[in-house]
Amino acid sequence: MSVSVKQPFEKVVEQHGGTVLRVCRVLLGVHDAQDAWSETFLAAMRAYPGLPDDANAEAWLVTIAHRKAIDVLRARSRQPAPVEAVPDAPTGLGVPGASDGDLWQAVRALPDRQRQAVAYHYVAGLPYAEIARIIGGTTDAARRAAADGIKNLRKNYPGAALKGAPA
Amino acid sequence: MTVSPNPVSPDYFAYPSDADTLARLRAKLGLTAEAEGLLDIAYTTVDSPVGALLLAATPKGLIRVAYDIEDHDRVLDALSQRVSPRVLRAPRRLDAAARELGEYFGGQRQVFDLPLDLSLSRGFRQLVQRHLPQIGYGQTRTYGQVAELVGNPKAVRAVGTACATNPLPVVVPCHRVLRADGTMGGYVGGSSAKATLLRLEAA
């Protein structure tokens, strides 16, 4: 067995597909998350042979998702779509006893960097140094953006503070 | 482990339907990757009387058939390293191979008519593997006879190695090659798989 072996891409999709979907959902809302997922993995598959064997695949995928999400947001702002007011909330799914609509509204109301930092730290579990590399700025700034994001989420969506995640 | 004033759980952004959503997105990724020419290796698994078989194909053709005892994960790792890491479970490219194997195991097919990608073997091994389909359904040859068939009668052991390293068992019929004393000899899928195939073809 060699130390670092490039896994078949299927394994990358299997291991990180769920995380990337949730990250895309936080960045873009339920509506655009699936398209962003598809574009992220297609771009990743294209670039995969050049990825170093020992690279952190999850951080790499999140970086790609970050860029795809920015593309989507730019396209959105260029053409203020008349249907963009459609509620993001899926019906009959999600957190019992909570209104998903409120959660997504709270997430959407966050400044971009806070939403990104929350997604990359609390959903993808990336360290702040890695997040700083993705969104720019210092590690401390990334940490602050995540903390502020969580504070704002708690304020606007109190249900979000119930559970702990490993630090 | 105390829970400190604390973060949003990642679960807040998960839905119970995520498994279905991901299955759909992964199937779509396979189709899009194929359309964009990125799917270097597509694979699937099929059930058979000799256990689960892994089928893998490049755009050129079927490149690998693997028995369960070869460990499908290891086989995929090897393909990833030797051919390309752009590997996805994407059954569509394997539809024809799966259908022909089904017909073969059902006793309704004697010859495979599939494009093959023999690039996993080189030199003498590939030469032997190219010749093996000349041994017809229900027939057998000895390692020595195959050595003669490829024009190198002394290369009996090398023929044995070529059979043992056949990347396309069942489809390239190395199971039809026996020892000179009439015993079966080794087989990549194990001797009981070899016996099953020979019994099937003798029926």
Side-chain angles (χ1 to χ4, degrees):
Chain A
M1 291 273 133
S2 46
V3 185
S4 63
V5 164
K6 181 150 283 174
Q7 307 188 82
F9 193 70
E10 175 73 15
K11 289 277 185 287
V12 175
V13 182
E14 193 179 298
Q15 284 163 17
H16 306 296
T19 299
V20 171
L21 181 60
R22 290 188 290 276
V23 164
C24 290
R25 208 174 263 159
V26 174
L27 294 176
L28 296 169
V30 176
H31 188 69
D32 287 321
Q34 296 189 20
D35 283 348
W37 187 100
S38 294
E39 287 191 29
T40 297
F41 276 99
L42 196 66
M45 190 165 175
R46 196 182 298 278
Y48 188 53
L51 182 74
D53 290 355
D54 58 356
N56 176 345
E58 190 151 284
W60 174 67
L61 288 167
V62 168
T63 307
I64 298 173
H66 173 79
R67 291 193 205 117
K68 294 291 172 194
I70 287 175
D71 290 348
V72 171
L73 292 173
R74 272 199 196 125
R76 258 193 211 165
S77 66
R78 245 180 270 125
Q79 29 165 307
V83 289
E84 212 45 69
V86 166
D88 276 332
T91 51
L93 298 170
V95 189
S99 159
D100 273 358
D102 293 346
L103 172 60
W104 295 115
Q105 244 159 38
V107 170
R108 204 162 35 179
L110 293 177
D112 286 350
R113 287 174 65 86
Q114 290 183 16
R115 189 171 50 244
Q116 290 159 356
V118 167
Y120 307 154
H121 187 70
Y122 292 107
V123 180
L126 297 183
Y128 291 118
E130 191 74 47
I131 294 168
R133 205 183 48 73
I134 297 171
I135 67 177
T138 64
T139 303
D140 278 346
R143 186 182 290 116
R144 262 197 315 276
D148 291 347
I150 289 297
K151 212 191 312 165
N152 282 329
L153 272 185
R154 277 193 188 143
K155 202 166 59 196
N156 299 319
Y157 181 71
L162 290 176
K163 264 201 206 169
Chain B
M1 239 186 53
T2 52
V3 179
S4 45
N6 207 346
V8 171
S9 157
D11 296 345
Y12 276 91
F13 302 101
Y15 287 145
S17 58
D18 278 359
D20 292 343
T21 303
L22 285 165
R24 198 162 33 74
L25 288 172
R26 287 168 74 170
K28 189 178 145 205
L29 177 65
L31 296 176
T32 317
E34 172 100 88
E36 303 252 327
L38 293 175
L39 187 55
D40 294 339
I41 297 180
Y43 74 90
T44 191
T45 44
V46 296
D47 285 326
S48 84
V50 288
L53 294 175
L54 173 81
L55 311 179
T58 65
K60 262 167 79 182
L62 191 65
I63 192 166
R64 192 73 167 86
V65 174
Y67 282 99
D68 227 356
I69 61 165
E70 295 180 78
D71 188 343
H72 291 170
D73 280 338
R74 285 187 59 182
V75 171
L76 289 169
D77 284 348
L79 286 171
S80 173
Q81 283 170 75
R82 290 193 56 186
V83 183
S84 165
R86 288 186 187 134
V87 179
L88 284 183
R89 179 183 284 276
R92 203 165 71 164
R93 192 184 285 169
L94 290 312
D95 279 353
R99 191 186 60 245
E100 292 199 8
L101 280 162
E103 291 165 357
Y104 169 80
F105 286 114
Q108 294 138 353
R109 171 173 289 276
Q110 303 200 341
V111 176
F112 289 99
D113 182 20
L114 296 167
L116 303 181
D117 182 338
L118 294 176
S119 60
L120 289 177
S121 305
R122 304 197 191 286
F124 186 73
R125 290 182 189 180
Q126 191 188 93
L127 180 76
V128 171
Q129 289 156 11
R130 279 183 193 283
H131 278 77
L132 288 175
Q134 292 174 18
I135 312 171
Y137 187 90
Q139 300 174 22
T140 60
R141 294 285 185 276
T142 65
Y143 292 103
Q145 285 171 325
V146 174
E148 278 173 39
L149 184 73
V150 299
N152 198 344
K154 293 209 170 123
V156 181
R157 288 180 81 92
V159 167
T161 308
C163 288
T165 57
N166 175 14
L168 293 161
V170 186
V171 173
V172 170
C174 59
H175 58 277
R176 294 174 193 155
V177 187
L178 310 178
R179 285 214 192 107
D181 63 7
T183 59
M184 276 198 315
Y187 186 57
V188 59
S191 51
S192 80
K194 190 169 187 172
T196 301
L197 297 181
L198 292 172
R199 224 179 303 122
L200 169 78
E201 295 189 8

